Amino acid sequence: MNTFEKELLNKLLDKYEKSKLSKGGTIVTRCIKLTTKDDVLNSYIRLDSYKYADENNSIIKKLESYGFIRVEWYYDTFKSLTLNIENVDSIYNYINRDKPSDELDRIKKILLKYKFDGFINDFINYIYDYINSKYDYPKSYFTDSKQLDLLLKIFMHLLKLDEDTKKRDFSAKCLGDSKLFESVQGKIIKIIKDFDSNHYDNDDEVLAAYNIVKNTSYVILKNKLVFKLNDCIIDLDKLGFEYSLSNEMINNLEIINSKVNKILTVENLTTFYSLNDNDAVIIYLAGFHNHTKRTLLKKIYAKYPNAKYFHFGDIDAGGFWIYQTLKEKTDIPFIPYRMNIKELIGNKNTLKKLTENDKKRLNRMLYDERFDFFKDTIKYMLNNNVKLEQELLD
């Protein structure tokens, strides 16, 4: 099979696969047609067309004799050709090209390999529905069956992670290649964003929620707490500075009895450094909390279950979301700190307007009982088109 013949048949199949004819048909009679205006046939209208006409005509007549195409001639001059739809399967076999249905069958077999609950099960059902209704697969989520298999394999491991894990360590351990996860990271994030009911402000938050981190995680804290690391006693009040703990340090530290009545988690770094409350252990969350930060909070709560626990975040949909998930994932009875209408009224000069996405999220929260504590504040924000970032609080 020469180049012209292969290119011609592939061009016809490309057009066929893009048409409704390959996806269950259409009420309107349509055809797949090529003329000399198409690139693959432009040799017929070039100045040197005489060099190719005889050979091309011979190939076109051969394909016509096979029943692959119908050809329109004007005397001996080629004009156009049309695909014989009823023989399209024979063309796929002739040029050894996969039929779209072959890939769909492979995708269905891959879906049957995996069992998931929750949002990944919703994703799988979405793929089935897409295939059944469109005779195609959703290419925005995966490029082919092999990539789908890889993505589902990643989710199988990802949903079992119970501690912060560096991206490349996860990839090497679970996929046998330290860079493979990163090559499909965008697809993983898109699936989570579109099918997980949770909302994330950025891609790092998405991965952190599932315990994937770029580098070793740290928690910064200050005040009140006394703990032991190996044989070293660290008293944050005596130290007089903030202190940074890695996830390995948190796993190994032992909290020593001391007077702790108040714990305050803070969303923003600027606020963490500027906030003065000598009676509280102040912990910087860096936006969305990850496994490392929750592990420290659970250790503190186990030691001081009767202390008061507060969360200080932005007065916006993201801040409310972080507060709620912090409560859910730690089982600690956090109380919102300065996240109310009074603060909005008292900081009129630094308020920002809501984006369209803000409005959508806040409206959803109004009807979600998990956010009942913020309902009055949310109504005020929507009615007045305002929100307030933590670092702009007076």
Side-chain angles (χ1 to χ4, degrees), residues 58-117:
S58 175
I59 290 169
I60 286 173
K61 287 176 181 178
K62 179 181 74 170
L63 297 179
E64 186 177 32
S65 72
Y66 289 168
F68 293 166
I69 57 175
R70 298 188 301 275
V71 186
E72 180 188 358
W73 303 90
Y74 181 73
Y75 295 102
D76 291 330
T77 304
F78 169 80
K79 300 299 291 182
S80 67
L81 59 84
T82 304
L83 175 68
N84 271 336
I85 303 299
E86 60 270 19
N87 290 334
V88 73
D89 285 351
S90 298
I91 301 176
Y92 278 106
N93 294 331
Y94 181 69
I95 63 173
N96 196 28
R97 170 167 165 168
D98 271 356
K99 296 188 286 291
S101 59
D102 294 336
E103 180 70 343
L104 295 182
D105 288 341
R106 284 192 289 268
I107 288 170
K108 289 177 181 178
K109 286 179 182 178
I110 287 167
L111 295 177
L112 289 172
K113 284 172 52 179
Y114 296 92
K115 299 294 180 185
F116 289 96
D117 295 320

Short mmCIF file of all heavy atoms in Angstrom, two decimals, residues 58-117:
data_model
loop_
_atom_site.label_atom_id
_atom_site.label_comp_id
_atom_site.label_asym_id
_atom_site.label_seq_id
_atom_site.Cartn_x
_atom_site.Cartn_y
_atom_site.Cartn_z
N SER A 58 -5.23 5.06 -10.90
CA SER A 58 -5.18 3.60 -10.78
C SER A 58 -5.57 3.15 -9.38
O SER A 58 -6.32 2.19 -9.21
CB SER A 58 -3.76 3.13 -11.13
OG SER A 58 -3.65 1.73 -10.91
N ILE A 59 -5.07 3.88 -8.36
CA ILE A 59 -5.38 3.54 -6.97
C ILE A 59 -6.86 3.79 -6.68
O ILE A 59 -7.53 2.96 -6.04
CB ILE A 59 -4.48 4.34 -6.01
CG1 ILE A 59 -3.04 3.83 -6.12
CG2 ILE A 59 -5.00 4.22 -4.56
CD1 ILE A 59 -2.03 4.71 -5.42
N ILE A 60 -7.38 4.91 -7.13
CA ILE A 60 -8.78 5.25 -6.89
C ILE A 60 -9.70 4.21 -7.55
O ILE A 60 -10.70 3.78 -6.97
CB ILE A 60 -9.08 6.67 -7.40
CG1 ILE A 60 -8.46 7.69 -6.43
CG2 ILE A 60 -10.58 6.91 -7.53
CD1 ILE A 60 -8.54 9.12 -6.91
N LYS A 61 -9.35 3.79 -8.76
CA LYS A 61 -10.16 2.77 -9.44
C LYS A 61 -10.09 1.43 -8.71
O LYS A 61 -11.09 0.69 -8.64
CB LYS A 61 -9.69 2.60 -10.89
CG LYS A 61 -10.07 3.78 -11.78
CD LYS A 61 -9.49 3.63 -13.18
CE LYS A 61 -9.89 4.84 -14.04
NZ LYS A 61 -9.30 4.78 -15.41
N LYS A 62 -8.93 1.11 -8.14
CA LYS A 62 -8.79 -0.13 -7.37
C LYS A 62 -9.69 -0.09 -6.14
O LYS A 62 -10.40 -1.05 -5.84
CB LYS A 62 -7.34 -0.32 -6.96
CG LYS A 62 -7.12 -1.59 -6.12
CD LYS A 62 -5.67 -1.76 -5.71
CE LYS A 62 -5.29 -0.80 -4.60
NZ LYS A 62 -3.95 -1.10 -4.02
N LEU A 63 -9.66 1.05 -5.42
CA LEU A 63 -10.47 1.18 -4.20
C LEU A 63 -11.96 1.16 -4.55
O LEU A 63 -12.78 0.65 -3.78
CB LEU A 63 -10.11 2.49 -3.47
CG LEU A 63 -8.68 2.59 -2.94
CD1 LEU A 63 -8.45 3.94 -2.26
CD2 LEU A 63 -8.37 1.46 -1.96
N GLU A 64 -12.29 1.69 -5.73
CA GLU A 64 -13.68 1.63 -6.19
C GLU A 64 -14.09 0.19 -6.48
O GLU A 64 -15.21 -0.23 -6.15
CB GLU A 64 -13.85 2.50 -7.43
CG GLU A 64 -15.30 2.62 -7.89
CD GLU A 64 -15.46 3.54 -9.09
OE1 GLU A 64 -14.51 3.60 -9.93
OE2 GLU A 64 -16.51 4.20 -9.20
N SER A 65 -13.18 -0.57 -7.06
CA SER A 65 -13.49 -1.99 -7.37
C SER A 65 -13.65 -2.82 -6.11
O SER A 65 -14.37 -3.82 -6.10
CB SER A 65 -12.38 -2.58 -8.25
OG SER A 65 -11.18 -2.78 -7.50
N TYR A 66 -12.99 -2.40 -5.00
CA TYR A 66 -13.14 -3.09 -3.72
C TYR A 66 -14.46 -2.73 -3.04
O TYR A 66 -14.83 -3.34 -2.03
CB TYR A 66 -12.00 -2.71 -2.76
CG TYR A 66 -10.64 -3.27 -3.13
CD1 TYR A 66 -9.50 -2.81 -2.50
CD2 TYR A 66 -10.50 -4.26 -4.11
CE1 TYR A 66 -8.25 -3.30 -2.81
CE2 TYR A 66 -9.26 -4.76 -4.44
CZ TYR A 66 -8.14 -4.27 -3.79
OH TYR A 66 -6.90 -4.77 -4.11
N GLY A 67 -15.15 -1.72 -3.56
CA GLY A 67 -16.40 -1.29 -2.95
C GLY A 67 -16.21 -0.31 -1.80
O GLY A 67 -17.16 -0.02 -1.06
N PHE A 68 -14.99 0.22 -1.65
CA PHE A 68 -14.71 1.16 -0.55
C PHE A 68 -15.26 2.56 -0.84
O PHE A 68 -15.67 3.27 0.07
CB PHE A 68 -13.20 1.28 -0.30
CG PHE A 68 -12.56 0.02 0.22
CD1 PHE A 68 -11.18 -0.11 0.20
CD2 PHE A 68 -13.32 -1.04 0.72
CE1 PHE A 68 -10.56 -1.26 0.68
CE2 PHE A 68 -12.71 -2.19 1.19
CZ PHE A 68 -11.33 -2.30 1.17
N ILE A 69 -15.26 2.94 -2.13
CA ILE A 69 -15.65 4.30 -2.49
C ILE A 69 -16.48 4.29 -3.77
O ILE A 69 -16.47 3.30 -4.54
CB ILE A 69 -14.42 5.21 -2.71
CG1 ILE A 69 -13.50 4.62 -3.79
CG2 ILE A 69 -13.67 5.44 -1.40
CD1 ILE A 69 -12.32 5.50 -4.17
N ARG A 70 -17.19 5.38 -3.98
CA ARG A 70 -17.85 5.68 -5.25
C ARG A 70 -17.16 6.91 -5.83
O ARG A 70 -16.90 7.88 -5.10
CB ARG A 70 -19.33 5.94 -5.06
CG ARG A 70 -20.11 4.76 -4.50
CD ARG A 70 -21.62 5.03 -4.51
NE ARG A 70 -21.96 6.21 -3.73
CZ ARG A 70 -22.16 6.20 -2.41
NH1 ARG A 70 -22.02 5.08 -1.73
NH2 ARG A 70 -22.50 7.31 -1.79
N VAL A 71 -16.88 6.87 -7.13
CA VAL A 71 -16.06 7.91 -7.74
C VAL A 71 -16.85 8.66 -8.80
O VAL A 71 -17.61 8.06 -9.58
CB VAL A 71 -14.77 7.33 -8.38
CG1 VAL A 71 -13.87 8.45 -8.88
CG2 VAL A 71 -14.03 6.47 -7.37
N GLU A 72 -16.69 9.96 -8.86
CA GLU A 72 -17.30 10.81 -9.87
C GLU A 72 -16.20 11.25 -10.85
O GLU A 72 -15.19 11.83 -10.44
CB GLU A 72 -17.95 12.04 -9.23
CG GLU A 72 -18.60 12.97 -10.25
CD GLU A 72 -19.08 14.27 -9.63
OE1 GLU A 72 -18.93 14.44 -8.39
OE2 GLU A 72 -19.56 15.15 -10.38
N TRP A 73 -16.41 10.94 -12.12
CA TRP A 73 -15.47 11.32 -13.16
C TRP A 73 -16.15 12.27 -14.14
O TRP A 73 -17.37 12.21 -14.35
CB TRP A 73 -14.99 10.10 -13.96
CG TRP A 73 -14.35 9.01 -13.12
CD1 TRP A 73 -14.97 7.97 -12.54
CD2 TRP A 73 -12.98 8.90 -12.82
NE1 TRP A 73 -14.06 7.18 -11.86
CE2 TRP A 73 -12.81 7.73 -12.03
CE3 TRP A 73 -11.83 9.67 -13.13
CZ2 TRP A 73 -11.58 7.31 -11.55
CZ3 TRP A 73 -10.60 9.24 -12.66
CH2 TRP A 73 -10.48 8.09 -11.86
N TYR A 74 -15.36 13.13 -14.72
CA TYR A 74 -15.84 13.94 -15.84
C TYR A 74 -15.02 13.51 -17.05
O TYR A 74 -13.86 13.91 -17.22
CB TYR A 74 -15.66 15.43 -15.56
CG TYR A 74 -16.17 16.33 -16.67
CD1 TYR A 74 -17.54 16.50 -16.87
CD2 TYR A 74 -15.28 16.97 -17.52
CE1 TYR A 74 -18.01 17.30 -17.89
CE2 TYR A 74 -15.74 17.78 -18.55
CZ TYR A 74 -17.11 17.94 -18.72
OH TYR A 74 -17.58 18.73 -19.75
N TYR A 75 -15.63 12.61 -17.85
CA TYR A 75 -14.89 11.88 -18.87
C TYR A 75 -13.77 11.12 -18.17
O TYR A 75 -14.03 10.27 -17.35
CB TYR A 75 -14.39 12.82 -19.97
CG TYR A 75 -15.55 13.43 -20.76
CD1 TYR A 75 -15.96 14.74 -20.51
CD2 TYR A 75 -16.22 12.68 -21.71
CE1 TYR A 75 -17.02 15.30 -21.23
CE2 TYR A 75 -17.30 13.23 -22.42
CZ TYR A 75 -17.69 14.52 -22.16
OH TYR A 75 -18.75 15.06 -22.85
N ASP A 76 -12.53 11.42 -18.43
CA ASP A 76 -11.43 10.69 -17.77
C ASP A 76 -10.81 11.48 -16.63
O ASP A 76 -9.76 11.10 -16.08
CB ASP A 76 -10.33 10.35 -18.79
CG ASP A 76 -10.79 9.33 -19.80
OD1 ASP A 76 -11.65 8.50 -19.43
OD2 ASP A 76 -10.31 9.37 -20.94
N THR A 77 -11.43 12.60 -16.27
CA THR A 77 -10.86 13.46 -15.23
C THR A 77 -11.56 13.21 -13.90
O THR A 77 -12.79 13.22 -13.83
CB THR A 77 -11.01 14.95 -15.62
OG1 THR A 77 -10.41 15.18 -16.89
CG2 THR A 77 -10.37 15.84 -14.56
N PHE A 78 -10.74 13.00 -12.89
CA PHE A 78 -11.29 12.75 -11.55
C PHE A 78 -11.92 14.03 -10.98
O PHE A 78 -11.35 15.11 -11.10
CB PHE A 78 -10.17 12.29 -10.61
CG PHE A 78 -10.58 12.25 -9.16
CD1 PHE A 78 -11.31 11.20 -8.66
CD2 PHE A 78 -10.24 13.30 -8.31
CE1 PHE A 78 -11.70 11.18 -7.32
CE2 PHE A 78 -10.62 13.29 -6.97
CZ PHE A 78 -11.36 12.23 -6.48
N LYS A 79 -13.10 13.88 -10.34
CA LYS A 79 -13.79 15.02 -9.74
C LYS A 79 -13.92 14.88 -8.21
O LYS A 79 -13.56 15.78 -7.46
CB LYS A 79 -15.19 15.18 -10.36
CG LYS A 79 -15.19 15.41 -11.85
CD LYS A 79 -14.47 16.67 -12.25
CE LYS A 79 -15.21 17.93 -11.83
NZ LYS A 79 -14.52 19.17 -12.27
N SER A 80 -14.44 13.74 -7.77
CA SER A 80 -14.65 13.55 -6.32
C SER A 80 -14.86 12.07 -6.02
O SER A 80 -15.06 11.25 -6.93
CB SER A 80 -15.87 14.35 -5.85
OG SER A 80 -17.05 13.81 -6.41
N LEU A 81 -14.80 11.76 -4.74
CA LEU A 81 -15.08 10.38 -4.31
C LEU A 81 -15.88 10.42 -3.01
O LEU A 81 -15.78 11.35 -2.22
CB LEU A 81 -13.80 9.57 -4.17
CG LEU A 81 -12.72 10.04 -3.19
CD1 LEU A 81 -13.00 9.58 -1.77
CD2 LEU A 81 -11.36 9.56 -3.64
N THR A 82 -16.68 9.37 -2.80
CA THR A 82 -17.55 9.29 -1.63
C THR A 82 -17.36 7.94 -0.95
O THR A 82 -17.24 6.91 -1.62
CB THR A 82 -19.03 9.43 -2.04
OG1 THR A 82 -19.20 10.65 -2.76
CG2 THR A 82 -19.94 9.44 -0.81
N LEU A 83 -17.30 7.95 0.37
CA LEU A 83 -17.12 6.73 1.16
C LEU A 83 -18.38 5.87 1.09
O LEU A 83 -19.50 6.36 1.24
CB LEU A 83 -16.82 7.10 2.62
CG LEU A 83 -16.71 5.96 3.62
CD1 LEU A 83 -15.46 5.12 3.32
CD2 LEU A 83 -16.65 6.50 5.05
N ASN A 84 -18.18 4.58 0.86
CA ASN A 84 -19.28 3.62 0.97
C ASN A 84 -19.42 3.22 2.44
O ASN A 84 -18.64 2.41 2.95
CB ASN A 84 -19.01 2.37 0.13
CG ASN A 84 -19.51 2.51 -1.29
OD1 ASN A 84 -20.41 3.31 -1.56
ND2 ASN A 84 -18.93 1.74 -2.21
N ILE A 85 -20.40 3.79 3.10
CA ILE A 85 -20.56 3.58 4.54
C ILE A 85 -20.74 2.11 4.87
O ILE A 85 -20.22 1.62 5.89
CB ILE A 85 -21.76 4.40 5.07
CG1 ILE A 85 -21.59 5.89 4.77
CG2 ILE A 85 -21.93 4.18 6.58
CD1 ILE A 85 -20.37 6.52 5.39
N GLU A 86 -21.44 1.39 4.02
CA GLU A 86 -21.75 -0.02 4.33
C GLU A 86 -20.49 -0.89 4.33
O GLU A 86 -20.49 -1.99 4.90
CB GLU A 86 -22.78 -0.58 3.33
CG GLU A 86 -22.35 -0.56 1.87
CD GLU A 86 -22.72 0.72 1.16
OE1 GLU A 86 -22.99 1.74 1.84
OE2 GLU A 86 -22.76 0.71 -0.08
N ASN A 87 -19.42 -0.41 3.74
CA ASN A 87 -18.18 -1.20 3.69
C ASN A 87 -17.07 -0.61 4.56
O ASN A 87 -15.90 -0.96 4.40
CB ASN A 87 -17.68 -1.32 2.24
CG ASN A 87 -18.58 -2.20 1.40
OD1 ASN A 87 -19.25 -3.08 1.91
ND2 ASN A 87 -18.60 -1.96 0.09
N VAL A 88 -17.46 0.26 5.47
CA VAL A 88 -16.44 0.97 6.24
C VAL A 88 -15.62 0.02 7.13
O VAL A 88 -14.42 0.20 7.31
CB VAL A 88 -17.08 2.11 7.09
CG1 VAL A 88 -17.87 1.54 8.25
CG2 VAL A 88 -16.04 3.10 7.57
N ASP A 89 -16.26 -1.04 7.65
CA ASP A 89 -15.52 -2.00 8.47
C ASP A 89 -14.42 -2.69 7.67
O ASP A 89 -13.33 -2.97 8.19
CB ASP A 89 -16.45 -3.06 9.06
CG ASP A 89 -17.29 -2.52 10.21
OD1 ASP A 89 -17.02 -1.38 10.65
OD2 ASP A 89 -18.21 -3.22 10.68
N SER A 90 -14.69 -2.93 6.42
CA SER A 90 -13.69 -3.58 5.55
C SER A 90 -12.47 -2.67 5.35
O SER A 90 -11.34 -3.16 5.24
CB SER A 90 -14.32 -3.92 4.20
OG SER A 90 -15.37 -4.84 4.36
N ILE A 91 -12.72 -1.36 5.31
CA ILE A 91 -11.61 -0.42 5.15
C ILE A 91 -10.73 -0.44 6.40
O ILE A 91 -9.48 -0.44 6.30
CB ILE A 91 -12.13 1.00 4.88
CG1 ILE A 91 -12.98 1.02 3.60
CG2 ILE A 91 -10.97 1.98 4.77
CD1 ILE A 91 -13.62 2.36 3.31
N TYR A 92 -11.35 -0.46 7.58
CA TYR A 92 -10.57 -0.55 8.83
C TYR A 92 -9.67 -1.78 8.81
O TYR A 92 -8.48 -1.71 9.15
CB TYR A 92 -11.50 -0.62 10.04
CG TYR A 92 -12.03 0.73 10.50
CD1 TYR A 92 -13.34 1.10 10.28
CD2 TYR A 92 -11.20 1.63 11.18
CE1 TYR A 92 -13.84 2.33 10.70
CE2 TYR A 92 -11.67 2.86 11.60
CZ TYR A 92 -12.99 3.21 11.36
OH TYR A 92 -13.46 4.44 11.78
N ASN A 93 -10.23 -2.90 8.38
CA ASN A 93 -9.43 -4.13 8.32
C ASN A 93 -8.35 -4.03 7.26
O ASN A 93 -7.23 -4.51 7.45
CB ASN A 93 -10.35 -5.32 8.03
CG ASN A 93 -11.32 -5.60 9.16
OD1 ASN A 93 -11.02 -5.31 10.33
ND2 ASN A 93 -12.48 -6.17 8.84
N TYR A 94 -8.67 -3.42 6.13
CA TYR A 94 -7.74 -3.34 5.01
C TYR A 94 -6.48 -2.56 5.39
O TYR A 94 -5.37 -2.95 5.01
CB TYR A 94 -8.45 -2.67 3.83
CG TYR A 94 -7.61 -2.52 2.59
CD1 TYR A 94 -7.22 -3.63 1.84
CD2 TYR A 94 -7.20 -1.25 2.16
CE1 TYR A 94 -6.46 -3.49 0.69
CE2 TYR A 94 -6.44 -1.10 1.01
CZ TYR A 94 -6.07 -2.22 0.28
OH TYR A 94 -5.30 -2.08 -0.85
N ILE A 95 -6.65 -1.45 6.14
CA ILE A 95 -5.46 -0.65 6.49
C ILE A 95 -5.00 -0.94 7.93
O ILE A 95 -4.14 -0.25 8.47
CB ILE A 95 -5.72 0.86 6.32
CG1 ILE A 95 -6.82 1.36 7.25
CG2 ILE A 95 -6.05 1.18 4.88
CD1 ILE A 95 -6.98 2.88 7.21
N ASN A 96 -5.60 -1.98 8.53
CA ASN A 96 -5.20 -2.41 9.87
C ASN A 96 -5.31 -1.27 10.89
O ASN A 96 -4.40 -1.02 11.69
CB ASN A 96 -3.77 -2.95 9.85
CG ASN A 96 -3.44 -3.77 11.10
OD1 ASN A 96 -4.34 -4.35 11.71
ND2 ASN A 96 -2.18 -3.78 11.48
N ARG A 97 -6.44 -0.57 10.84
CA ARG A 97 -6.70 0.52 11.77
C ARG A 97 -7.83 0.12 12.72
O ARG A 97 -8.82 -0.49 12.31
CB ARG A 97 -7.10 1.78 10.98
CG ARG A 97 -7.64 2.94 11.83
CD ARG A 97 -7.70 4.20 11.02
NE ARG A 97 -8.53 5.24 11.65
CZ ARG A 97 -8.56 6.51 11.28
NH1 ARG A 97 -7.81 6.92 10.26
NH2 ARG A 97 -9.34 7.39 11.88
N ASP A 98 -7.66 0.46 13.98
CA ASP A 98 -8.68 0.16 14.97
C ASP A 98 -9.99 0.88 14.67
O ASP A 98 -9.98 2.08 14.37
CB ASP A 98 -8.21 0.60 16.38
CG ASP A 98 -7.45 -0.51 17.07
OD1 ASP A 98 -7.35 -1.61 16.50
OD2 ASP A 98 -6.95 -0.26 18.18
N LYS A 99 -11.09 0.17 14.77
CA LYS A 99 -12.41 0.81 14.69
C LYS A 99 -12.70 1.51 16.02
O LYS A 99 -12.23 1.05 17.08
CB LYS A 99 -13.48 -0.24 14.42
CG LYS A 99 -13.35 -0.93 13.07
CD LYS A 99 -14.55 -1.81 12.77
CE LYS A 99 -14.55 -3.07 13.58
NZ LYS A 99 -13.47 -4.00 13.22
N PRO A 100 -13.45 2.61 16.00
CA PRO A 100 -13.80 3.28 17.27
C PRO A 100 -14.45 2.34 18.27
O PRO A 100 -14.21 2.44 19.46
CB PRO A 100 -14.77 4.39 16.81
CG PRO A 100 -14.41 4.66 15.39
CD PRO A 100 -13.98 3.34 14.83
N SER A 101 -15.25 1.40 17.76
CA SER A 101 -15.92 0.45 18.66
C SER A 101 -14.92 -0.46 19.37
O SER A 101 -15.17 -0.91 20.49
CB SER A 101 -16.94 -0.39 17.88
OG SER A 101 -16.29 -1.11 16.83
N ASP A 102 -13.76 -0.73 18.74
CA ASP A 102 -12.73 -1.55 19.38
C ASP A 102 -12.20 -0.86 20.64
O ASP A 102 -12.04 -1.49 21.69
CB ASP A 102 -11.56 -1.82 18.43
CG ASP A 102 -11.98 -2.67 17.24
OD1 ASP A 102 -12.96 -3.41 17.36
OD2 ASP A 102 -11.31 -2.57 16.19
N GLU A 103 -11.95 0.45 20.53
CA GLU A 103 -11.46 1.20 21.69
C GLU A 103 -12.54 1.30 22.77
O GLU A 103 -12.24 1.19 23.96
CB GLU A 103 -11.00 2.59 21.25
CG GLU A 103 -10.46 3.48 22.36
CD GLU A 103 -9.11 3.03 22.92
OE1 GLU A 103 -8.71 1.86 22.70
OE2 GLU A 103 -8.45 3.84 23.58
N LEU A 104 -13.78 1.46 22.35
CA LEU A 104 -14.87 1.52 23.34
C LEU A 104 -14.98 0.19 24.08
O LEU A 104 -15.23 0.17 25.29
CB LEU A 104 -16.19 1.86 22.65
CG LEU A 104 -16.29 3.25 22.01
CD1 LEU A 104 -17.68 3.45 21.42
CD2 LEU A 104 -15.97 4.35 23.01
N ASP A 105 -14.80 -0.91 23.37
CA ASP A 105 -14.84 -2.23 24.02
C ASP A 105 -13.69 -2.38 25.03
O ASP A 105 -13.88 -2.93 26.12
CB ASP A 105 -14.75 -3.35 22.98
CG ASP A 105 -16.03 -3.48 22.17
OD1 ASP A 105 -17.09 -2.99 22.64
OD2 ASP A 105 -15.98 -4.06 21.06
N ARG A 106 -12.51 -1.87 24.66
CA ARG A 106 -11.37 -1.94 25.59
C ARG A 106 -11.64 -1.09 26.83
O ARG A 106 -11.30 -1.49 27.95
CB ARG A 106 -10.10 -1.46 24.88
CG ARG A 106 -9.51 -2.49 23.93
CD ARG A 106 -8.11 -2.09 23.48
NE ARG A 106 -8.13 -0.96 22.58
CZ ARG A 106 -8.19 -1.06 21.26
NH1 ARG A 106 -8.25 -2.24 20.67
NH2 ARG A 106 -8.18 0.03 20.50
N ILE A 107 -12.24 0.08 26.63
CA ILE A 107 -12.55 0.97 27.76
C ILE A 107 -13.54 0.29 28.70
O ILE A 107 -13.36 0.31 29.93
CB ILE A 107 -13.12 2.30 27.24
CG1 ILE A 107 -12.00 3.12 26.60
CG2 ILE A 107 -13.78 3.11 28.37
CD1 ILE A 107 -12.48 4.34 25.84
N LYS A 108 -14.56 -0.35 28.15
CA LYS A 108 -15.55 -1.04 28.99
C LYS A 108 -14.91 -2.17 29.79
O LYS A 108 -15.25 -2.39 30.96
CB LYS A 108 -16.69 -1.58 28.12
CG LYS A 108 -17.60 -0.50 27.56
CD LYS A 108 -18.66 -1.10 26.64
CE LYS A 108 -19.55 -0.03 26.06
NZ LYS A 108 -20.56 -0.58 25.12
N LYS A 109 -13.99 -2.90 29.17
CA LYS A 109 -13.30 -3.98 29.89
C LYS A 109 -12.46 -3.43 31.04
O LYS A 109 -12.39 -4.03 32.12
CB LYS A 109 -12.41 -4.76 28.91
CG LYS A 109 -13.18 -5.66 27.96
CD LYS A 109 -12.25 -6.38 27.00
CE LYS A 109 -13.05 -7.25 26.03
NZ LYS A 109 -12.16 -7.93 25.05
N ILE A 110 -11.83 -2.29 30.81
CA ILE A 110 -11.03 -1.67 31.87
C ILE A 110 -11.92 -1.22 33.02
O ILE A 110 -11.60 -1.42 34.19
CB ILE A 110 -10.22 -0.49 31.30
CG1 ILE A 110 -9.07 -1.01 30.44
CG2 ILE A 110 -9.68 0.41 32.43
CD1 ILE A 110 -8.41 0.02 29.59
N LEU A 111 -13.06 -0.64 32.70
CA LEU A 111 -13.98 -0.18 33.75
C LEU A 111 -14.45 -1.34 34.61
O LEU A 111 -14.66 -1.19 35.82
CB LEU A 111 -15.19 0.53 33.12
CG LEU A 111 -14.90 1.83 32.37
CD1 LEU A 111 -16.17 2.37 31.74
CD2 LEU A 111 -14.28 2.87 33.28
N LEU A 112 -14.59 -2.51 34.02
CA LEU A 112 -15.04 -3.69 34.76
C LEU A 112 -13.96 -4.22 35.72
O LEU A 112 -14.27 -4.96 36.65
CB LEU A 112 -15.45 -4.80 33.79
CG LEU A 112 -16.75 -4.56 33.01
CD1 LEU A 112 -16.93 -5.64 31.94
CD2 LEU A 112 -17.95 -4.53 33.95
N LYS A 113 -12.71 -3.83 35.48
CA LYS A 113 -11.61 -4.30 36.34
C LYS A 113 -11.63 -3.68 37.72
O LYS A 113 -11.08 -4.24 38.68
CB LYS A 113 -10.25 -3.95 35.70
CG LYS A 113 -9.84 -4.82 34.54
CD LYS A 113 -8.59 -4.27 33.85
CE LYS A 113 -7.44 -4.00 34.80
NZ LYS A 113 -6.25 -3.49 34.10
N TYR A 114 -12.23 -2.50 37.86
CA TYR A 114 -12.11 -1.72 39.08
C TYR A 114 -13.45 -1.58 39.80
O TYR A 114 -14.50 -1.48 39.17
CB TYR A 114 -11.56 -0.32 38.76
CG TYR A 114 -10.17 -0.33 38.19
CD1 TYR A 114 -9.97 -0.38 36.80
CD2 TYR A 114 -9.05 -0.31 39.01
CE1 TYR A 114 -8.69 -0.38 36.27
CE2 TYR A 114 -7.78 -0.32 38.48
CZ TYR A 114 -7.60 -0.36 37.11
OH TYR A 114 -6.33 -0.38 36.58
N LYS A 115 -13.38 -1.58 41.11
CA LYS A 115 -14.56 -1.36 41.95
C LYS A 115 -14.28 -0.19 42.88
O LYS A 115 -13.33 -0.21 43.67
CB LYS A 115 -14.89 -2.61 42.77
CG LYS A 115 -15.22 -3.84 41.94
CD LYS A 115 -16.51 -3.66 41.14
CE LYS A 115 -16.82 -4.90 40.32
NZ LYS A 115 -18.01 -4.70 39.45
N PHE A 116 -15.08 0.85 42.77
CA PHE A 116 -14.92 2.04 43.60
C PHE A 116 -16.26 2.42 44.21
O PHE A 116 -17.33 2.12 43.67
CB PHE A 116 -14.43 3.24 42.77
CG PHE A 116 -13.00 3.15 42.31
CD1 PHE A 116 -12.69 2.67 41.05
CD2 PHE A 116 -11.97 3.57 43.14
CE1 PHE A 116 -11.38 2.61 40.62
CE2 PHE A 116 -10.65 3.50 42.72
CZ PHE A 116 -10.35 3.03 41.46
N ASP A 117 -16.18 3.11 45.34
CA ASP A 117 -17.34 3.79 45.89
C ASP A 117 -17.15 5.29 45.67
O ASP A 117 -16.10 5.74 45.22
CB ASP A 117 -17.48 3.50 47.39
CG ASP A 117 -17.77 2.03 47.66
OD1 ASP A 117 -18.56 1.45 46.89
OD2 ASP A 117 -17.21 1.47 48.62
#
